[in-house]
RNA sequence: CGGAGUGUAGCUCAGCCUGGUAGAGCACCGCUUUCGGGAGGCGGGGGUCGUAGGUUCGAAUCCUAUCACUCCGACCA
């Protein structure tokens, strides 16, 4: 491709509304343009990258025996009503009406559609298992679209759905998809990690997320330093302290703490170690009998909302009580709450249950109790794991300690079980002719997000440094002084033709621009290999080669550049 | 949705407080000079200052409403 016929819409300055590096570089490199919040146009060069990501996903899905289909993006409301998600899904579902006032939605995911298809097509156990996938545009009316392609409203997703006659069969496909995902992200050249995950609103029994590791990631992952344990922090278990609770050493006393409304202030003003304090968080309960529930977490720990919402006593999703509600129920404000004399059901974190001689609010404004001990001063309530793990916590598998890293979720595999097949009556006849409900799995990859994630992981101060599998072009061909030298023009035209014929995707910068401009553009857009030809080089029979990540250029005989590139790309 | 902020040329922004002829850099067009790391000179095109009202002799500037966008929180590929 000639740059003169393939305009590079590169920007020297960073658009003000782009926050993360991938968004900035995608805009600056002319890969995408914004239409509206969370909506982007893929420019020609950007589409090349997207298609390459798609190609790897498609090849590996096919290899795993999945069958590609293409379902409509617009879906009738009836199917969503049947699964119950028309009501559940909320405002994230873009709802539409046609000219007859019939209701539709723009698909954010396709469980209902595929389940409807399969229940019509599959009658016999002989037709199972099946695994259908598609690569298609989804729309989710995100509460807060941001970070460019990373959290767009419209995005390209590969979604696959498998149907089975037994949980064992589902497990086989689940494992196969897990392997396939690992192959896909490896081929794409990404540094990734599969982690145990919460099943969230889609439901189901088991799930793993695939994360590209990057500091800009929105998720926190807990990984063991001595085993392969890895989990999203939402799910990572905080194990109970090994040491038994120490015996009381202090008397409980009531202390005036008029200026300490937060744990931080308490620690600063009274010299109390933060591990000797307890936070009392009031949340809405799950039943009218107990409209408010108190969750107790050690002062230096953080409440895990996902874990808390799963407790039967707690409302799901988690809702914090307002100050007015708290005052009405307890008679004291949020800054002075504690377990002693608390007229609410309590649930203590495992770490809290192991504490002794600790400080907490006295449920009287401006007063705290210090030296509190369980059983002696207040009965130990129900104990549960309700906190986020922290760096250095023991790994739940008993091997090693946890480290926390950041990740961008690019893939997710679920065992759905019978959630949709039951609701939508997707059944088949087994060997005995009995009607059975199908067992389902589903498997997603955010294809457009993969593009952004790849940049987050592969860039430097000059721009993008694409992994080979995603690069829009393999080779940037840059002539120096071509517009002043007929001899050079002929030589480089021949080199361009030869390299293209040899199968390389070459971007030939035939602009009448200064070398610095061409170099800067090629590095910004991230072409992995650069070949420079000048008159000087022509005289010496050499071209200059530089890999996008190399520190220095090397001279290569003109006649050998083809083999040299081939060897470099084989690295 | 709650909180914070921003809308002025394709991009980055100044001007607004204190109302009086709409600006700079980059980009773009022409000429020129230069030619291995986003050069320089001369000339040029381009904005009803987000939109709609209001105050005023006069509004980018003050007031009101409205729309859009960004950031911080709960969601997800």
């Amino acid at each position: 491709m000639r740059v003169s016929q393939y305009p590079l819409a590169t920007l020297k300055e960073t658009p003000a509304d782009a926050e993360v590096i991938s968004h900035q570089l995608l805009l600056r490199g002319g890969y995408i343009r914004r239409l509206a919040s969370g909506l982007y146009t893929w420019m020609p060069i950007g589409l090349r990258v997207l298609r390459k990501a798609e190609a790897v996903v498609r090849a590996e899905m096919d290899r795993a025996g999945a069958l590609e289909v293409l379902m409509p993006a617009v879906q009738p409301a009836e199917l969503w009503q049947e699964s119950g998600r028309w009501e559940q899904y909320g405002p994230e579902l873009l709802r539409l009406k046609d000219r007859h006032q019939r209701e539709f939605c723009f698909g954010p995911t396709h469980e209902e559609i595929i389940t409807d298809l399969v229940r019509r097509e599959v009658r016999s156990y002989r037709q199972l298992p099946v695994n259908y996938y598609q690569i298609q545009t989804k729309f989710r009316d995100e509460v807060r679209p941001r970070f460019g392609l990373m959290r767009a409203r419209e995005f390209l997703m590969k979604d696959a759905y498998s149907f089975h006659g037994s949980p064992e069969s589902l497990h086989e496909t689940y494992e196969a998809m897990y392997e396939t995902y690992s192959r896909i992200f490896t081929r794409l050249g990404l540094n990734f990690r599969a982690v145990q995950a919460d099943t969230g609103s889609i439901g189901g029994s088991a799930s793993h997320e695939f994360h590209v590791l990057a500091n800009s990631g929105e998720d926190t992952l807990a990984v063991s330093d001595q085993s392969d344990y890895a989990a999203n922090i939402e799910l990572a278990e905080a194990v109970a302290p090994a040491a038994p609770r120490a015996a009381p050493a202090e008397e409980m006393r009531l202390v005036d703490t008029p200026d300490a409304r937060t744990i931080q202030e308490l620690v600063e003003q009274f010299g109390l170690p933060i591990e000797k304090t307890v936070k009392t968080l009031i949340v809405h309960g799950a039943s009218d009998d107990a409209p408010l529930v108190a969750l107790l977490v050690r002062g230096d720990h953080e409440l895990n909302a996902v874990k808390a919402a799963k407790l039967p006593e707690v409302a799901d999703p988690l809702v914090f009580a307002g100050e007015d509600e708290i005052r009405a129920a307890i008679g004291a404000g949020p800054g002075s709450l504690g377990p002693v004399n608390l007229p609410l059901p309590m649930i203590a974190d495992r770490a809290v249950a192991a504490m002794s001689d600790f400080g907490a609010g006295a449920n009287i404004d401006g007063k705290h109790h210090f030296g509190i001990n369980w059983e002696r001063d207040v009965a130990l309530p129900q104990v549960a794991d309700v906190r986020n793990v922290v760096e250095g916590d023991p790994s739940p598998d008993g091997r090693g300690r946890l480290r926390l890293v950041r990740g961008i979720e690019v893939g997710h595999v679920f065992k759905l079980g019978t959630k949709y097949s039951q609701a939508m009556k997707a059944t088949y006849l087994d060997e005995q002719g009995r009607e059975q409900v199908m067992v389902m799995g589903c498997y997603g990859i955010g294809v457009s997000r993969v593009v952004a994630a790849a940049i987050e992981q592969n860039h430097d101060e000059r721009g993008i440094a694409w992994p080979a599998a995603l690069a829009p072009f393999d080779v940037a061909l840059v002539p120096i002084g071509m517009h002043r030298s007929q001899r050079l023009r002929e030589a480089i035209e021949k080199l361009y033709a030869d390299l293209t014929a040899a199968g390389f995707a070459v971007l030939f910068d035939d602009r009448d621009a200064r070398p610095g401009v061409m170099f800067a553009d090629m590095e910004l857009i991230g072409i992995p290999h650069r070949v420079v030809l000048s008159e000087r080089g022509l005289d010496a029979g050499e071209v200059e080669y530089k890999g996008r990540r190399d520190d220095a250029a090397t001279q290569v005989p003109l006649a050998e550049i083809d083999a040299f590139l081939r060897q470099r790309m084989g690295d």
Side-chain angles (χ1 to χ4, degrees):
Chain A
M1 196 63 68
R2 293 165 193 272
V3 173
S4 62
Q5 287 155 44
Y6 199 81
L8 299 177
T10 54
L11 306 172
K12 219 184 270 189
E13 282 166 301
T14 303
D17 52 6
E19 191 73 6
V20 295
I21 193 75
S22 62
H23 190 194
Q24 293 173 1
L25 292 176
L26 283 164
L27 288 169
R28 285 192 53 208
Y31 282 94
I32 59 170
R33 288 291 182 253
R34 194 185 70 90
L35 173 66
S37 178
L39 301 178
Y40 293 89
T41 294
W42 290 84
M43 299 299 278
I45 191 172
L47 191 59
R48 285 180 78 103
V49 176
L50 187 65
R51 292 292 185 235
K52 289 191 84 167
E54 217 181 304
V56 171
V57 171
R58 181 173 283 116
E60 291 297 333
M61 290 300 290
D62 290 346
R63 184 178 187 275
L67 302 169
E68 186 169 6
V69 296
L70 184 57
M71 293 180 265
V74 174
Q75 311 177 1
E78 285 80 5
L79 292 177
W80 285 74
Q81 284 155 354
E82 206 178 331
S83 72
R85 286 208 291 184
W86 187 255
E87 285 74 32
Q88 280 169 25
Y89 215 92
E92 205 172 292
L93 187 64
L94 178 64
R95 295 157 210 259
L96 320 160
K97 279 184 185 166
D98 70 4
R99 62 170 71 199
H100 307 295
Q101 301 302 305
R102 266 192 70 189
E103 291 190 293
F104 291 84
C105 63
F106 194 104
T109 176
H110 277 67
E111 281 82 6
E112 281 80 2
I113 312 309
I114 192 75
T115 305
D116 178 62
L117 179 73
V118 170
R119 71 179 168 182
R120 292 166 189 273
E121 300 297 322
V122 174
R123 302 259 55 92
S124 160
Y125 72 95
R126 294 174 196 274
Q127 294 167 281
L128 296 176
V130 290
N131 187 4
Y132 287 122
Y133 79 97
Q134 64 176 348
I135 297 176
Q136 190 218 29
T137 298
K138 298 282 187 281
F139 189 94
R140 295 182 187 176
D141 200 353
E142 291 280 347
V143 196
R144 190 145 103 75
R146 59 180 144 173
F147 303 154
L149 296 182
M150 214 106 97
R151 182 177 300 281
R153 291 194 292 175
E154 189 175 302
F155 60 100
L156 191 69
M157 179 174 175
K158 187 283 298 178
D159 46 329
Y161 308 88
S162 68
F163 294 79
H164 308 268
S166 69
E168 295 72 28
S169 170
L170 168 61
H171 187 71
E172 271 176 38
T173 298
Y174 185 85
E175 293 289 308
M177 283 294 105
Y178 186 101
E179 283 308 310
T180 297
Y181 276 34
S182 298
R183 292 179 58 90
I184 288 170
F185 296 123
T186 301
R187 273 185 66 176
L188 290 172
L190 300 172
N191 178 215
F192 70 97
R193 189 89 198 228
V195 305
Q196 296 173 30
D198 182 53
T199 49
S201 61
I202 294 182
S205 55
S207 92
H208 286 84
E209 292 167 349
F210 287 76
H211 286 264
V212 168
L213 303 183
N215 289 332
S216 57
E218 293 185 86
D219 285 278
T220 301
L221 316 175
V223 300
S224 169
D225 59 4
Q226 282 173 36
S227 74
D228 59 4
Y229 178 85
N232 193 305
I233 197 166
E234 291 178 348
L235 194 77
E237 182 185 0
V239 300
R245 186 164 64 225
E250 300 175 19
E251 289 307 307
M252 184 172 79
R253 55 202 187 277
L254 191 61
V255 180
D256 282 321
T257 55
D259 301 318
R261 287 182 49 85
T262 65
I263 291 285
Q264 197 56 42
E265 290 168 349
L266 197 65
V267 167
E268 282 166 11
Q269 294 169 23
F270 295 88
L272 204 58
I274 194 164
E275 319 81 53
K276 286 283 183 188
T277 62
V278 165
K279 284 193 278 202
T280 304
L281 305 165
I282 310 297
V283 300
H284 286 183
S287 74
D288 295 342
D289 302 339
L292 294 179
V293 176
L295 303 173
L296 307 179
V297 181
R298 208 171 78 183
D300 56 330
H301 287 157
E302 221 173 64
L303 180 72
N304 179 310
V306 172
K307 290 177 182 176
K310 283 184 189 163
L311 296 169
E313 296 80 6
V314 175
D316 185 7
L318 193 77
V319 181
F320 282 98
E323 177 155 2
D324 296 345
E325 289 176 283
I326 292 172
R327 287 203 172 276
I330 303 169
S336 308
L337 304 181
V340 180
N341 300 325
L342 186 69
L344 293 178
M346 287 183 260
I347 298 169
D349 182 67
R350 288 167 172 172
V352 170
M355 292 168 72
S356 58
D357 301 323
F358 61 87
N363 303 315
I364 302 166
D365 279 331
K367 290 183 189 297
H368 280 72
H369 281 118
F370 289 178
I372 304 172
N373 279 278
W374 292 117
E375 306 300 3
R376 185 192 69 185
D377 306 317
V378 54
L380 181 66
Q382 178 184 343
V383 176
D385 172 22
V386 293
R387 71 171 172 97
N388 282 335
V389 294
V390 294
E391 192 95 28
D393 273 347
S395 176
D397 67 356
R399 291 185 291 155
R401 298 196 164 274
L402 295 178
R403 280 188 314 119
L404 299 183
V405 297
R406 306 284 290 174
I408 301 162
E409 187 187 353
V410 290
H412 203 159
V413 295
F414 286 94
K415 285 186 183 177
L416 285 178
T418 57
K419 177 175 164 138
Y420 296 93
S421 47
Q422 185 89 53
M424 298 181 64
K425 301 185 183 62
T427 61
Y428 67 99
L429 296 180
D430 68 11
E431 292 93 321
Q432 280 78 44
R434 292 175 310 208
E435 186 172 54
Q436 304 282 0
V437 175
M438 294 180 205
V439 183
M440 291 174 61
C442 77
Y443 321 92
I445 290 180
V447 182
S448 44
R449 184 182 281 181
V450 161
V451 173
I455 295 173
E456 292 292 330
Q457 212 172 60
N458 297 283
H459 68 270
D460 59 21
E461 65 289 342
R462 293 181 168 181
I464 302 170
W466 289 114
L470 288 171
F473 296 95
D474 304 320
V475 179
L477 187 57
V478 179
I480 294 188
M482 178 181 80
H483 292 265
R484 282 173 290 125
S485 164
Q486 187 60 27
R487 188 169 70 109
L488 182 60
R489 178 186 290 275
E490 284 165 12
I492 197 136
E493 284 287 354
K494 178 168 187 314
L495 183 55
Y496 173 53
D498 290 348
L499 290 176
T500 302
F504 298 105
V506 181
L507 186 61
F508 172 24
D509 199 339
D510 59 346
R511 291 176 293 183
D512 185 10
R514 296 164 62 86
V517 173
M518 297 190 278
F519 292 159
D521 270 347
M522 294 302 138
E523 283 162 349
L524 172 62
I525 64 178
I527 310 300
H529 307 279
R530 186 181 81 192
V531 173
V532 177
L533 186 57
S534 62
E535 285 236 85
R536 205 168 62 211
L538 201 53
D539 291 338
E542 288 180 333
V543 297
E544 176 189 289
Y545 169 85
K546 186 169 179 291
R548 177 63 179 79
R549 295 169 184 279
D550 295 347
D551 293 326
T554 53
Q555 299 297 323
V556 179
L558 183 53
E560 293 169 24
I561 187 62
D562 184 331
F564 183 87
L565 283 171
R566 211 165 290 286
Q567 182 249 319
R568 280 297 305 241
M569 289 174 70
D571 287 353

